[in-house]
Amino acid sequence: TSWRISNAVSLHGSVYRGYRTPTLNELHRGFSVGNTITNPSPELDPERLTGFEGGVLLTRGVASTRVTGFWNQLEDAVTNVTITAPGVTPILRQRQNTDKVRARGLEVETDLRPFDRWLFSGVVVLTDSEFAESPKQPQLEGNQTPQVPTFQLGATMTYTDPRGFTGSVQARGFGKQYDDDLN
């Protein structure tokens, strides 16, 4: 939902719930990468997400900035859980449901259009995503969620010609992230 406060200020917010059933690969197909073997699990439950976000859009002249905060809780998250002790080869993992993953953060986007055909954009995303409650896998509790960077940066420069040419250059960067559940 959005609310326009004035020509320069708009508020937005949403609340949501959703679910995702495990894929056939997660249920029945294992795989290996290097010295890591990941086994499927035919007894996986669907993931359930609950979340909300809210923010503000500020516009002035040729510039606009959007600031959005978010909070999500994923229950029964399907995760590749490490079974073997660290340092044991091969590394054995299995897809399992974990109890709760929580993600919260802030996103800031800015657009600047100094000329009709040029657009400069930037984005910063800060995310704290962790295994919040894991009685089934106590070794995970408090660990960061795999593959989720602590911050992301992006910058884009776009040129648009009304006769049919559009060109864009983009740069992206990201912060620390872990490859596995044990961090």
Side-chain angles (χ1 to χ4, degrees):
T1 304
S2 293
W3 304 274
R4 174 165 247 137
I5 305 302
S6 69
N7 285 342
V9 179
S10 296
L11 301 176
H12 62 275
S14 62
V15 176
Y16 40 86
R17 284 190 54 94
Y19 74 97
R20 181 188 76 86
T21 57
T23 66
L24 288 174
N25 281 340
E26 291 168 336
L27 293 168
H28 303 292
R29 184 173 176 253
F31 66 93
S32 64
V33 176
N35 66 348
T36 303
I37 299 168
T38 303
N39 291 324
S41 177
E43 297 177 13
L44 292 172
D45 292 322
E47 299 176 325
R48 294 180 319 280
L49 174 74
T50 302
F52 65 86
E53 64 181 56
V56 61
L57 170 63
L58 306 169
T59 306
R60 183 167 183 164
V62 297
S64 67
T65 299
R66 180 187 314 265
V67 179
T68 303
F70 61 89
W71 180 92
N72 291 300
Q73 180 167 288
L74 184 61
E75 296 181 33
D76 292 325
V78 175
T79 304
N80 296 337
V81 176
T82 303
I83 305 297
T84 57
V88 175
T89 303
I91 299 168
L92 181 60
R93 294 190 179 127
Q94 182 184 30
R95 292 184 172 114
Q96 295 180 6
N97 290 108
T98 57
D99 294 308
K100 288 183 185 169
V101 172
R102 284 199 190 108
R104 55 190 170 250
L106 183 69
E107 182 174 325
V108 179
E109 299 173 84
T110 299
D111 291 336
L112 178 63
R113 190 179 290 278
F115 310 105
D116 285 345
R117 296 181 182 186
W118 288 94
L119 173 65
F120 300 93
S121 303
V123 64
V124 175
V125 182
L126 305 172
T127 306
D128 178 26
S129 180
E130 66 183 12
F131 293 99
E133 296 175 24
S134 291
K136 294 178 197 171
Q137 300 99 353
Q139 74 277 15
L140 300 184
E141 195 158 327
N143 287 358
Q144 293 294 306
T145 308
Q147 309 295 326
V148 179
T150 54
F151 71 88
Q152 299 175 64
L153 304 171
T156 306
M157 179 176 63
T158 304
Y159 175 80
T160 305
D161 187 327
R163 294 175 292 221
F165 172 79
T166 297
S168 184
V169 175
Q170 186 178 68
R172 299 185 65 81
F174 53 90
K176 178 178 73 172
Q177 65 183 7
Y178 293 100
D179 189 44
D180 64 22
D181 58 320
L182 298 179
N183 293 176

